[in-house]
Amino acid sequence: AFLGLLFNMLAPGTAVALVVAALIGRMHSAVQRISDLSSTDSLTGLLNLRAFEEVLQQEHRKAERFNRPYTLAVIDVDNLSQVNEMLGHEAGSQVLGTVASAITRSIRSWDVAARLGGDEFIVLLVEADAETGAAIAQRIRNNVYAGTVSVANRLIRANVNVGIAK
């Protein structure tokens, strides 16, 4: 009888605690999702410019403090406006997604890539001197050129220009 009475007294509080814990978990997930959406480009999944600038500022301070190099690579997609005009903006979006994937495959796991906007991307090559930056820039060019996008029974091959600054 005592256990039954104890159970009846504790059950409502336990149920409320479980519901509150589940709601807190969902809130944390929602906050993380909002944070991810506010820092990434919806088309490419790369960081957006605002989030990239925050990372760049942090890395610049570290580089100055520890006297370590870093290199920036700016990537511009060739002839994207022509693709948009001839085949539509959906084709242009597919090209941008393919370029973003090629950039991600080309960089090291600790490097950071972002979409500047339009047809431009930027990559922070952490602790990379000019020689390493040039090698990664060439790898980006090669990987972009190796990929194709199929639109309306047509294969589109992207090409990019990559500039680096140490």
Side-chain angles (χ1 to χ4, degrees), residues 75-83 95-96 98-99 102-103 119-121 137-149 156-162:
I75 299 110
D76 180 65
V77 181
D78 291 344
N79 303 319
L80 187 65
S81 60
Q82 290 175 343
V83 171
V95 168
L96 289 173
T98 300
V99 169
I103 291 169
D119 62 352
E120 294 178 330
F121 298 86
Q138 187 59 47
R139 191 165 55 225
I140 290 170
R141 278 187 215 96
N142 293 344
N143 284 339
V144 168
Y145 189 75
T148 57
V149 177
I156 302 169
R157 183 176 306 278
N159 198 28
V160 295
N161 290 308
V162 183

Side-chain angles (χ1 to χ4, degrees), residues 119-130:
D119 62 352
E120 294 178 330
F121 298 86
I122 190 166
V123 179
L124 169 62
L125 302 168
V126 179
E127 294 191 25
D129 56 16

